[in-house]
Amino acid sequence: MNKEASDVIRVGSRKSELALIQTRYVIDSLKEIYPKKEFEIVTMNTKGDKILDKSLPKIGEKSLFTEELELALESGRVDFLVHSLKDLPTILPQGMVLGAILKREDPRDAVVMSKKYKDKTLSTLPKGSVIGTSSLRRSAQLARNMPHLTVQSIRGNLNTRLKKLDDEESPFAAIILAVAGLKRMGWNDRISQILEPEEALYAVGQGALGVECRESDWKILSLLEPLHDVDTALRCVCERSFLKTLGGGCSAPVAVSSTLTEKDLVITGAVWSLDGQTVIKDTAKSELYIPDDDAEPPKKCQYREPRLYTGVVPGNISSLSLLCAEQLGKNIAAKLIAKNALEVMFKARNEILNSE
């Protein structure tokens, strides 16, 4: 007997190969917990997927890769969405929440060299070598740390960018991509060099998958709760709080790195000028409340909406810990703001808007 359509859980995803791999990973993780549940993937293109002849900051930073998906979620066409968390704005639409953040893949950046320079690193590439990236934070850090290199914008999904790199007429000596995306695509062998946080801070939420759903959909929220990873959620709430307080996005070079060791959460945040010559950077630490494994789970009240942390539901995570993580993000942003970070970001945005 066929399942009724209403029994099938519909999952929204972008159409790119990486997006579908990530969506299937979330579904497979849920099927391990709920083997009798049925899922259907609903794909769609977003504004960021359709407009490839402009840089991301030129298009506009808000909901570039999420707006169409969120409209489908709001209308009930889908029950939840799978995102690369770095693409998700820190302020979600009214009524939308992050029901789960899955265990983070490697958040660092990777260098993918062209065949011509397969034995090189960024520091040993010839002067003037062209590096492809669509990210302002990557280009600013390259300009500061590797001034002998030239940065050129490259757009498209992973397949498209690798094809551009491999073309015989390609101007690129290398491109910079997220380690997580390459690993999920099974392209570990294309990684020529991994950039440590000391060399290049990464994007807020990079390497993590976020699952967005309706705040009022208790059925889906309950379904997603087992996927919520404590370490990843605490780090990403802190990072998102930092970015939210700064008011940043892809229109200014902003980046982070974070670690959670036992009960200490540490975050480094930075803002650059477009040319990388000005950098405002600082580090902050906070001790978190981490309950023992045998502690009583947090109580939930079905008659009252839970507090959200940069759009993230507490789920099975201590609200005290999440509150500390969120506050730490605000604190590190305040440190940068006290050093004129907002002025640097404002200038960067103006330069982008006034450029050709």
Side-chain angles (χ1 to χ4, degrees):
M1 183 177 177
N2 292 330
K3 285 265 189 183
E4 294 290 334
S6 59
D7 292 333
V8 178
I9 298 168
R10 295 153 300 172
V11 186
S13 172
R14 292 165 62 190
K15 289 185 176 180
S16 74
E17 185 178 355
L18 176 59
L20 288 170
I21 285 173
Q22 293 177 164
T23 300
R24 292 187 188 111
Y25 174 77
V26 171
I27 290 173
D28 288 345
S29 299
L30 287 170
K31 282 183 174 179
E32 288 184 11
I33 305 168
Y34 313 104
K36 294 183 180 180
K37 296 287 185 183
E38 291 191 11
F39 300 85
E40 175 189 344
I41 298 176
V42 180
T43 60
M44 57 201 82
N45 282 321
T46 66
K47 184 186 296 184
D49 296 312
K50 296 171 186 175
I51 305 175
L52 298 176
D53 59 345
K54 293 182 180 180
S55 66
L56 296 177
K58 271 287 190 180
I59 303 171
E61 67 179 83
K62 188 177 180 181
S63 304
L64 269 181
F65 296 102
T66 62
E67 184 176 5
E68 289 81 358
L69 293 164
E70 287 170 335
L71 288 173
L73 181 61
E74 182 181 29
S75 68
R77 285 176 52 209
V78 298
D79 298 300
F80 66 80
L81 308 170
V82 178
H83 302 284
S84 292
L85 191 59
K86 67 181 178 64
D87 294 332
L88 199 61
T90 54
I91 300 176
L92 301 181
Q94 184 70 30
M96 305 299 170
V97 295
L98 274 165
I101 299 178
L102 281 72
K103 186 174 178 60
R104 196 175 205 167
E105 179 56 270
D106 191 331
R108 296 173 296 175
D109 282 337
V111 180
V112 180
M113 291 287 180
S114 69
K115 294 177 181 178
K116 180 179 178 182
Y117 297 111
K118 63 179 182 178
D119 297 323
K120 297 285 188 181
T121 63
L122 287 180
S123 61
T124 60
L125 280 171
K127 184 177 181 179
S129 295
V130 178
I131 310 300
T133 176
S134 59
S135 162
L136 292 180
R137 65 173 180 84
R138 288 172 178 155
S139 60
Q141 291 181 87
L142 281 170
R144 182 174 183 84
N145 301 330
M146 302 284 173
H148 67 292
L149 303 176
T150 301
V151 178
Q152 184 174 316
S153 178
I154 185 170
R155 289 288 318 279
N157 58 39
L158 288 187
N159 309 61
T160 300
R161 280 180 275 179
L162 286 172
K163 185 176 180 182
K164 290 178 179 179
L165 175 67
D166 295 337
D167 189 296
E168 290 185 2
E169 303 298 321
S170 173
F172 300 108
I175 58 177
I176 312 290
L177 300 168
V179 170
L182 290 165
K183 285 188 173 182
R184 289 182 180 130
M185 293 286 282
W187 293 339
N188 302 52
D189 60 329
R190 294 303 306 264
I191 298 175
S192 307
Q193 178 184 359
I194 292 179
L195 301 177
E196 298 299 333
E198 297 77 21
E199 302 171 282
L201 299 182
Y202 42 80
V204 165
Q206 184 161 303
L209 300 180
V211 185
E212 186 179 10
C213 64
R214 293 180 291 273
E215 186 174 11
S216 59
D217 196 337
W218 291 97
K219 175 185 172 183
I220 295 298
L221 284 167
S222 177
L223 183 90
L224 297 173
E225 186 174 299
L227 301 185
H228 219 13
D229 182 74
V230 176
D231 183 290
T232 304
L234 289 170
R235 290 172 62 193
C236 289
V237 162
C238 182
E239 294 173 17
R240 285 170 61 81
S241 177
F242 163 71
L243 185 61
K244 180 180 178 181
T245 305
L246 283 178
C250 63
S251 66
V254 179
V256 298
S257 71
S258 66
T259 58
L260 178 57
T261 306
E262 294 184 353
K263 294 187 178 183
D264 286 333
L265 177 59
V266 182
I267 182 171
T268 296
V271 171
W272 291 264
S273 58
L274 291 185
D275 62 7
Q277 297 311 299
T278 300
V279 58
I280 300 174
K281 183 177 181 181
D282 214 323
T283 298
K285 180 173 76 170
S286 177
E287 183 175 346
L288 303 182
Y289 168 74
I290 308 293
D292 297 330
D293 292 338
D294 58 353
E296 184 179 345
K299 295 179 180 179
K300 300 179 178 63
C301 176
Q302 59 181 325
Y303 305 110
R304 182 167 57 85
E305 299 294 329
R307 174 181 169 139
L308 303 178
Y309 303 87
T310 62
V312 181
V313 299
N316 55 3
I317 303 173
S318 160
S319 292
L320 285 175
S321 293
L322 286 164
L323 184 62
C324 289
E326 186 178 56
Q327 187 59 51
L328 180 60
K330 293 178 181 178
N331 291 347
I332 187 67
K335 282 189 171 187
L336 268 59
I337 290 170
K339 299 178 182 179
N340 295 321
L342 296 185
E343 287 83 349
V344 173
M345 294 172 66
F346 180 76
K347 183 178 179 182
R349 288 177 180 140
N350 279 344
E351 287 178 17
I352 292 165
L353 291 174
N354 295 326
S355 64
E356 292 298 329

